[in-house]
Amino acid sequence: MKKMLLSTIAGLMALTMASAATAQDAKPLVVGSDFGVAPWMVRGANGPEGFGVDLINAIGEKIGRPKVEITDVNFSGLFAALFASRIDITVNPLNITKDRSEKMLFAEPIFATGNGFIVAKGNKIAGFEDLKGKAIAVNRGTLSDTWATANAEKYGFEVQRYDTFPDSVQAVLTRRAFSALNEIPTTVYAASKNPMIEVAFKDFDGRKFGYAFRNEDVALRNQVEDAIECLKQEGVLVALYEKWYNEKPAHDSPLSTVYPGYGAPGFTGYDATPHELACK
């Protein structure tokens, strides 16, 4: 009788633990991104859509968290939302930098980028010297804002800051600014959708995008990175890029490159310990 009772209790405990694990897996994965960055993430008729939406949904399926809630957060408030635990991950097209890696945890790179300069159709930029005496519009708080702030005096241009990328493009269209500066993929896509603007200059500088996590969320970072690496091996990231950006990526693109260890090599928070993938 006693053995039967102990067996029953053990069975109930196992069931409770399994239920708790299932409940945890079913818990929505809450992520944050600026919805104004096409084609990465925009507001569609049925909710957010774009490269970033398809990617994080695929990752959610891989890690057993298919309920993904995407919160629209202006870039200037993205890090505050992460640190206040209003979101679990940033899924914006976020540049991995030394300064940021000292404050948050990055997964491995997923996208290559640089500075793209949008102008009104017909205007030209041969180099940074052509920005002298002009107004440059940037999305507040982005790396484009950082670059413009650092180089305004050197090249003699004025910086205008806006809360969203579409606002900075509108500044060009209304002639308040000569150029709107943002990530190259974002500017190329925007110009492909509007005949009144074009990308006059591209500055590829080796920057890469990656997801950011709170420093204590190492397990979640590693779990998400495993999913990212499996999706790279399966060709999913390349397929999504071709779908949303209408071109093939370079053969050595981070879209298909699986990096050793966990995190972004060369940055704070990187763990070089090898790991085996078990993709399913």
Side-chain angles (χ1 to χ4, degrees), residues 119-125 134 172 175 177-179 198-200:
V119 297
K121 197 77 170 182
N123 285 338
K124 305 297 180 186
I125 300 176
K134 307 289 200 311
V172 171
R175 301 297 195 270
F178 173 72
S179 176
E198 60 183 299
V199 181

Side-chain angles (χ1 to χ4, degrees), residues 158-215:
E158 170 198 344
V159 182
Q160 295 180 359
R161 295 175 178 84
Y162 296 87
D163 286 332
T164 70
F165 173 58
D167 288 341
S168 67
V169 174
Q170 186 63 24
V172 171
L173 293 170
T174 57
R175 301 297 195 270
R176 296 196 305 276
F178 173 72
S179 176
L181 172 61
N182 212 293
E183 305 298 337
I184 289 173
T186 302
T187 57
V188 169
Y189 180 80
S192 74
K193 298 298 181 181
N194 190 331
M196 298 177 67
I197 59 175
E198 60 183 299
V199 181
F201 188 65
K202 300 175 185 176
D203 174 33
F204 285 100
D205 59 4
R207 300 203 311 261
K208 295 179 177 65
F209 294 154
Y211 288 163
F213 306 72
R214 288 180 290 278
N215 279 326

Side-chain angles (χ1 to χ4, degrees), residues 33-251:
S33 178
D34 185 338
F35 282 12
V37 185
W40 188 279
M41 195 168 297
V42 295
R43 192 177 299 280
N46 299 310
E49 59 185 27
F51 174 91
V53 177
D54 288 352
L55 178 55
I56 191 58
N57 281 333
I59 290 170
E61 290 286 346
K62 282 282 188 189
I63 67 173
R65 303 275 293 276
K67 295 179 181 178
V68 178
E69 293 182 3
I70 305 175
T71 304
D72 186 7
V73 184
N74 281 346
F75 190 88
S76 56
L78 191 65
F79 300 148
L82 179 67
F83 298 145
S85 297
R86 295 196 297 273
I87 60 174
D88 299 316
I89 314 172
T90 72
V91 295
N92 223 71
L94 180 65
N95 278 283
I96 302 169
T97 68
K98 180 178 183 298
D99 180 61
R100 289 172 180 168
S101 74
E102 292 171 352
K103 299 179 178 70
M104 59 197 83
L105 202 61
F106 278 97
E108 70 174 47
I110 54 176
F111 213 98
T113 185
N115 291 318
F117 292 81
I118 284 179
V119 297
K121 197 77 170 182
N123 285 338
K124 305 297 180 186
I125 300 176
F128 299 136
E129 292 75 14
D130 291 345
L131 302 177
K132 186 174 182 178
K134 307 289 200 311
I136 307 301
V138 298
N139 193 169
R140 191 188 313 276
T142 62
L143 208 61
S144 299
D145 184 359
T146 301
W147 183 91
T149 301
N151 288 279
E153 183 176 355
K154 179 179 180 180
Y155 295 110
F157 58 80
E158 170 198 344
V159 182
Q160 295 180 359
R161 295 175 178 84
Y162 296 87
D163 286 332
T164 70
F165 173 58
D167 288 341
S168 67
V169 174
Q170 186 63 24
V172 171
L173 293 170
T174 57
R175 301 297 195 270
R176 296 196 305 276
F178 173 72
S179 176
L181 172 61
N182 212 293
E183 305 298 337
I184 289 173
T186 302
T187 57
V188 169
Y189 180 80
S192 74
K193 298 298 181 181
N194 190 331
M196 298 177 67
I197 59 175
E198 60 183 299
V199 181
F201 188 65
K202 300 175 185 176
D203 174 33
F204 285 100
D205 59 4
R207 300 203 311 261
K208 295 179 177 65
F209 294 154
Y211 288 163
F213 306 72
R214 288 180 290 278
N215 279 326
E216 63 269 24
D217 289 341
V218 176
L220 178 60
R221 188 277 303 270
N222 293 356
Q223 185 182 33
V224 168
E225 182 155 329
D226 283 342
I228 288 172
E229 292 180 346
C230 286
L231 291 169
K232 286 182 178 183
Q233 288 188 346
E234 294 163 7
V236 173
L237 271 73
V238 168
L240 290 179
Y241 181 84
E242 292 175 354
K243 170 186 174 181
W244 288 103
Y245 289 90
N246 300 312
E247 64 177 7
K248 292 185 178 298
H251 74 279

Side-chain angles (χ1 to χ4, degrees), residues 255-270:
L255 291 160
S256 55
T257 301
V258 174
Y259 296 82
Y262 285 111
F267 292 90
T268 302
Y270 175 63

